[in-house]
């Protein structure tokens, strides 16, 4: 039998990330653990709390990506001129994603898991749709590949936790 004396936040994080990674082949366990451990509140959180924390991480990340895209569009240094229209599209996608994640946090706090799931799925689409845009232009490399992948991972963690909490 497995008895725990006291609370070890790393246990809930690693257990949750193990279950999350098992539920989604695209979700990376190590990324999940390091992302959740980055927030000190996760050490004392329950599963619902981890869900909210993961969504807050997604929200911060979407906000960062939006400002990063704005900087790329403004500076334009090292950006393929053909990429500008796709960057503009991505900026719009991430602006919408920020709203979707905020709505998902409200839904999760209200224990409306279906709505939280719907909103996080909509937010997640920002990363994949953004990347697909760059693929339309032959030979164009996405300047947001890492950012899109990180956001995808963060939203996948949120979705997996929401499904575990249900």
């Amino acid at each position: 039998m497995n008895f725990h004396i006291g609370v070890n936040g790393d246990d809930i994080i690693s257990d949750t990330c193990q279950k999350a990674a098992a539920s989604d082949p695209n979700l990376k366990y190590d990324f999940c653990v390091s992302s959740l451990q980055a927030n000190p509140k996760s050490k004392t959180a329950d599963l619902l709390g981890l869900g909210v924390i993961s969504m807050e991480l997604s929200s911060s990340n979407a906000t960062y990506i939006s400002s990063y895209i704005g900087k790329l569009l403004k500076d334009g240094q090292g950006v393929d001129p053909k990429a500008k229209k796709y960057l503009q599209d991505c900026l719009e996608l991430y602006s919408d994603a920020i709203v979707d994640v905020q709505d998902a946090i409200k839904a999760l706090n209200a224990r409306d898991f279906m709505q939280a799931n719907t909103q996080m799925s909509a937010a997640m689409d920002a990363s994949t749709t953004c990347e697909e845009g760059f693929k339309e232009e032959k030979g164009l490399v996405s300047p947001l590949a890492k950012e899109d992948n990180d956001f995808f991972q963060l939203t996948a963690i949120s979705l997996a936790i929401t499904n575990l909490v249900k």
Side-chain angles (χ1 to χ4, degrees), residues 69 72 79-80 82-90 127-145 148:
I69 294 169
L72 286 175
V79 176
D80 187 322
K82 288 183 245 161
K84 291 205 175 191
K85 87 173 187 183
Y86 301 110
L87 284 169
Q88 203 63 55
D89 291 345
C90 292
S127 59
T128 50
T129 305
C130 177
E131 277 303 298
E132 285 166 5
F134 290 103
K135 290 178 181 143
E136 287 176 15
E137 193 80 37
K138 191 170 170 63
L140 186 63
V141 176
S142 168
L144 300 172
D148 286 333

Side-chain angles (χ1 to χ4, degrees), residues 12-85:
I12 189 167
I13 293 170
S14 83
D15 289 351
T16 302
C17 288
Q18 224 163 12
K19 289 174 185 162
S23 73
D24 183 346
N26 297 310
L27 200 155
K28 294 179 180 74
Y29 170 81
D30 291 338
F31 186 95
C32 178
V33 170
S34 62
S35 298
L36 293 175
Q37 282 178 341
N39 185 318
K41 288 189 255 172
S42 66
K43 300 237 184 288
T44 55
D46 60 5
L47 193 57
L48 186 66
L50 279 182
V52 172
I53 288 166
S54 72
M55 288 180 181
E56 288 169 348
L57 288 167
S58 296
S59 178
S60 304
N61 190 254
T63 303
Y64 160 76
I65 294 170
S66 290
S67 66
Y68 179 66
I69 294 169
K71 189 174 177 289
L72 286 175
L73 285 167
K74 189 176 164 213
D75 298 348
Q77 292 175 327
V79 176
D80 187 322
K82 288 183 245 161
K84 291 205 175 191
K85 87 173 187 183

Side-chain angles (χ1 to χ4, degrees), residues 81-137:
K82 288 183 245 161
K84 291 205 175 191
K85 87 173 187 183
Y86 301 110
L87 284 169
Q88 203 63 55
D89 291 345
C90 292
L91 184 59
E92 202 171 300
L93 289 163
Y94 277 103
S95 296
D96 291 344
I98 293 167
V99 175
D100 289 333
V101 175
Q102 292 304 319
D103 290 344
I105 292 170
K106 287 179 197 147
L108 187 61
N109 280 323
R111 298 184 180 282
D112 183 348
F113 304 116
M114 188 183 252
Q115 184 62 26
N117 209 315
T118 300
Q119 295 299 142
M120 282 312 294
S121 294
M124 178 188 254
D125 287 343
S127 59
T128 50
T129 305
C130 177
E131 277 303 298
E132 285 166 5
F134 290 103
K135 290 178 181 143
E136 287 176 15
E137 193 80 37

